[in-house]
Amino acid sequence: MLDLESIELIKQLKHKYFRCIDMAELDGVRECFAKEATALYVGGDYHFDLKGREEVVDFMKQSFHP
């Protein structure tokens, strides 16, 4: 079971991540991921398997629009 400090740190990280996504602040998003992060996005007609922080952030950058 996680201790209260760990839970609070996770909450803070999630807040930062979603705030940076909302504001399209890619440098902030980058700070939320470890260098060796991975992400898998699967939907009806797409499948993205991303390896590494920069690949994840680049994908997000391409997903944002004005």
Side-chain angles (χ1 to χ4, degrees):
M1 181 174 278
L2 295 175
D3 58 78
L4 291 178
E5 183 179 4
S6 296
I7 292 169
E8 184 60 29
L9 291 171
I10 292 168
K11 288 179 183 180
Q12 290 175 20
L13 178 62
K14 285 178 68 175
H15 175 269
K16 179 178 181 174
Y17 171 78
F18 287 116
R19 179 71 176 159
C20 290
I21 290 291
D22 286 346
M23 302 301 292
E25 294 180 8
L26 292 172
D27 288 335
V29 170
R30 184 177 282 106
E31 293 172 3
C32 293
F33 286 92
K35 184 180 178 182
E36 58 279 341
T38 62
L40 178 63
Y41 300 103
V42 179
D45 60 349
Y46 63 87
H47 182 114
F48 298 99
D49 190 3
L50 309 171
K51 305 275 192 276
R53 174 178 51 213
E54 294 309 314
E55 199 170 305
V56 173
V57 174
D58 286 344
F59 171 79
M60 290 182 185
K61 181 179 181 180
Q62 295 173 20
S63 299
F64 292 155
H65 51 82

